[in-house]
Amino acid sequence: MNAIEKYEFDRLGYIIIPNILTDAEVTKLSAAIDAAEEDALAQVDRPPDKISAYGLQYRHNADKGYFVSGRREEGNTLVIEEFFNLDPAFDVLVDHAPTMAYIRQIVKERPTINNSEIRIRYPGNQTGSHMGGPVSWKHQYAYTPRGIDCMMVRMVYFTHDVGRDQGEFCVVPATHKSNMPSPYEGSDPDKEPGMIGLPVKAGDAILFTENLRHGGLTNRSRQTRKTLHVGYGPFWMKSQNHSTMDEEPYILPRTFARFTEEQRLLFRSHQSLLADSAGDD
Ligand SMILES: O=C(O)CCC(=O)C(=O)O
């Protein structure tokens, strides 16, 4: 993270990072997302296995180790959580050196991955505005004697271009520093004053603090928008996926087995480290 990126992240609450993925990574991840979508669509007509605290209905594929909500239809989103279990093609994003160079600068305690979702937004879909201003301790942005000192942050990776009216990820810049919640009625990001869409190219990523007000503008195109979202926070923060909220990281033994020690550490919470050291006695 160079001095300009640091300044802009502090000032605005997000930065766009061009070309953080190589062309080869984009091709491989894009194919893996398409395969994950087809796999998940086969689950969505079953009765739900789990209902989140927000009322989202999830189907659990226990064999492949993911949870899916939503369905493929105009105006809807398919969200596949815990996608690292699904396909080794996604392993490249675990301990991804260019990503970690950013994360280590803004999460000051040992960072772990607390959220992983494939977000597939069909034409007509939008993501309602949320966050900004005073938020839960889990999402706070702070500047302390250690510098930028975030709780949860997220990296959104793009494997295809997202231009104007194609369901851009959107933000109200600088609301991570606001002292008040948004006073505007509703959560329609298309109508919210100050909300701006962020067009990007394949291979780019957007890094933002969860304290920032954000969402997704309506996808007015015929292109389905597909993105990979990976959340980070201090090691003692538990899962922030809606399907496994505040539980220990949900990584299948076979996923863990193929990881390097550095990759494993990104899923080792405080509790699992304590359990490991108890086992050493
Ligand atoms: O990409 C979007 O449509 C919104 C994503 C979002 O809200 C998030 O990653 O927290």
Side-chain angles (χ1 to χ4, degrees):
M1 196 174 204
N2 63 37
I4 293 174
E5 290 171 319
K6 211 179 277 182
Y7 175 80
E8 294 297 343
F9 187 85
D10 177 61
R11 183 174 76 92
L12 299 171
Y14 74 95
I15 48 172
I16 298 176
I17 308 168
N19 294 313
I20 196 167
L21 300 175
T22 64
D23 290 350
E25 286 167 346
V26 165
T27 304
K28 203 168 161 188
L29 289 169
S30 180
I33 294 171
D34 291 346
E37 179 184 12
E38 291 311 315
D39 202 284
L41 285 171
Q43 309 288 325
V44 299
D45 291 324
R46 287 197 289 107
D49 299 304
K50 204 166 183 180
I51 300 187
S52 78
Y54 290 96
L56 291 168
Q57 300 189 345
Y58 283 93
R59 278 84 188 168
H60 182 206
N61 183 327
D63 176 43
K64 295 196 173 160
Y66 67 82
F67 293 82
V68 57
S69 69
R71 55 181 58 250
R72 174 155 67 189
E73 63 189 7
E74 184 86 18
N76 214 331
T77 315
L78 192 75
V79 177
I80 305 167
E81 296 187 343
E82 310 288 2
F83 68 78
F84 290 119
N85 289 319
L86 224 173
D87 189 332
F90 296 120
D91 292 0
V92 67
L93 297 181
V94 182
D95 197 30
H96 181 245
T99 296
M100 293 314 297
Y102 286 93
I103 300 301
R104 288 204 187 90
Q105 297 253 348
I106 58 177
V107 177
K108 286 299 192 302
E109 290 175 87
R110 179 174 69 78
T112 48
I113 291 177
N114 58 30
N115 157 257
S116 57
E117 63 192 51
I118 302 172
R119 201 169 262 264
I120 301 180
R121 294 186 43 211
Y122 299 106
N125 173 265
Q126 65 168 219
T127 309
S129 315
H130 53 289
M131 303 293 182
V135 287
S136 133
W137 60 270
K138 288 196 277 191
H139 304 128
Q140 279 172 10
Y141 175 90
Y143 194 89
T144 69
R146 303 195 284 194
I148 295 174
D149 201 342
C150 291
M151 294 293 112
M152 186 171 176
V153 299
R154 233 188 278 237
M155 190 71 96
V156 185
Y157 300 95
F158 294 83
T159 56
H160 60 78
D161 297 357
V162 179
R164 292 276 169 227
D165 290 334
Q166 292 184 316
E168 307 99 290
F169 181 82
C170 59
V171 298
V172 184
T175 42
H176 61 312
K177 293 189 177 175
S178 174
N179 292 308
M180 300 166 211
S182 170
Y184 299 111
E185 234 174 71
S187 59
D188 183 345
D190 298 350
K191 297 198 178 129
E192 184 160 336
M195 188 67 86
I196 56 166
L198 305 177
V200 289
K201 298 284 183 198
D204 295 353
I206 297 172
L207 175 65
F208 68 101
T209 156
E210 272 291 317
N211 205 156
L212 187 67
R213 192 152 179 82
H214 63 279
L217 297 182
T218 297
N219 181 358
R220 299 182 193 283
S221 73
R222 299 316 302 164
Q223 169 181 262
T224 296
R225 202 208 79 178
K226 304 185 184 188
T227 42
L228 292 163
H229 301 233
V230 182
Y232 295 83
F235 67 98
W236 39 262
M237 197 182 288
K238 299 206 173 178
S239 170
Q240 296 305 304
N241 282 321
H242 285 285
S243 55
T244 53
M245 184 58 77
D246 291 329
E247 296 173 13
E248 285 297 298
Y250 180 67
I251 290 291
L252 294 179
R254 71 163 177 269
T255 310
F256 219 61
R258 66 172 188 257
F259 282 168
T260 64
E261 236 353 275
E262 285 305 310
Q263 288 177 313
R264 287 177 190 165
L265 203 54
L266 283 167
F267 292 97
R268 278 200 206 276
S269 64
H270 189 51
Q271 193 165 319
S272 63
L273 279 176
L274 284 178
D276 283 358
S277 58
D280 291 344
D281 291 341

